[in-house]
Amino acid sequence: EYRIALPFFDRAEAIRTELGDSLNLGRTILLKASTLDNLGQFEPALEYYKRAFELNQISGDQARVAESLLKAGTVLNNLGKYPEALESLDKALEINKAINKSSGISEALNQTGYVYLKLGDLNKALDKFNEAIKITKDQNDKWGLAGVYNNLGIMLQNAGRFEKALEYYNNALSIYD
C-alpha cells in the first residue's frame, strides 16, 4: 500500500524537520524515496535519495549513506543514466567496504554488473556478478544470491544462451521458494 504510506511519510518529514531531528529525518526521507521508487516514480525517488544521502551524511549514518547511493544508482540505471549510475554505485561500494557491510558490497556489485549488462559490456558484467556470487555464498546470503542468479539469467538470455539462462533462473526460483 505504497500510496497510502506516502502521506504518513510527509507527516513524519514535517515533524522531524520541525524538531530538528536530522538522524531520523534522513531515515524517513530514505523510506519515502524507496516508496516512490516502488511506485515507479523514478525522478521524484531520485531526488529523495539524493536528499537522504545528504541528511544521512550530515548525521554520520554511513550505512544509510551507502544505501541512499545504492538505491540512487539503481534508479539512475533504470533511467538510462549509466555513467551517473556507475558513479553512485561505486561510492556505495566503497562505503560498504569501509563499514564492512557484506550485503551492501554484494548488492552494489550486483547492481554495477547490471549497469554493465545494459551497456553491453558482458565481460565487466560477468566480473561483477562473479564477485557478488562469492560474497553472497561466503555470507550465506540466499536472497542476494538469488538476485545475482536472476541477473546472470538475464545476461545469458540476452547473449542467446537460453538453456544456461534457464538454469540460472531456476536456481534463483529455487531460492525464492
Side-chain angles (χ1 to χ4, degrees):
E1 300 292 334
Y2 298 117
R3 291 197 191 289
I4 294 171
L6 283 175
F8 291 98
F9 290 128
D10 290 338
R11 284 182 36 209
E13 179 182 353
I15 292 167
R16 290 188 167 137
T17 299
E18 185 178 320
L19 293 173
D21 183 0
S22 62
L23 176 66
N24 287 310
L25 178 59
R27 293 173 179 174
T28 297
I29 296 300
L30 182 58
L31 289 169
K32 186 173 181 179
S34 182
T35 301
L36 291 165
D37 190 356
N38 286 322
L39 287 167
Q41 296 180 21
F42 298 129
E43 292 290 347
L46 184 58
E47 291 308 311
Y48 274 95
Y49 283 133
K50 288 177 181 178
R51 189 163 167 229
F53 164 79
E54 292 166 0
L55 289 165
N56 287 310
Q57 194 167 37
I58 290 167
S59 70
D61 190 342
Q62 290 301 297
R64 285 189 176 78
V65 168
E67 186 178 351
S68 301
L69 288 165
L70 178 75
K71 301 277 186 156
T74 303
V75 170
L76 288 162
N77 186 31
N78 289 335
L79 293 170
K81 298 179 179 183
Y82 305 124
E84 293 170 22
L86 288 172
E87 181 180 336
S88 188
L89 292 168
D90 188 50
K91 288 177 185 174
L93 178 62
E94 292 310 311
I95 293 169
N96 279 305
K97 284 180 178 179
I99 63 174
N100 200 28
K101 186 176 179 192
S102 54
S103 63
I105 295 168
S106 62
E107 183 62 19
L109 289 166
N110 187 28
Q111 292 303 320
T112 301
Y114 197 68
V115 174
Y116 282 121
L117 171 61
K118 285 188 143 185
L119 286 168
D121 192 336
L122 301 185
N123 288 327
K124 281 188 180 175
L126 185 58
D127 287 344
K128 299 300 178 186
F129 292 147
N130 283 332
E131 285 183 68
I133 285 173
K134 181 181 181 333
I135 293 167
T136 56
K137 284 184 175 180
D138 287 349
Q139 297 299 315
N140 199 27
D141 176 4
K142 292 182 181 190
W143 285 95
L145 183 61
V148 180
Y149 282 166
N150 189 62
N151 283 346
L152 273 166
I154 293 168
M155 184 183 82
L156 290 163
Q157 181 179 350
N158 289 348
R161 298 189 56 205
F162 301 112
E163 285 187 31
K164 194 68 174 170
L166 185 59
E167 182 182 320
Y168 278 100
Y169 287 142
N170 284 329
N171 287 341
L173 279 173
S174 71
I175 293 169
Y176 288 137
D177 282 341

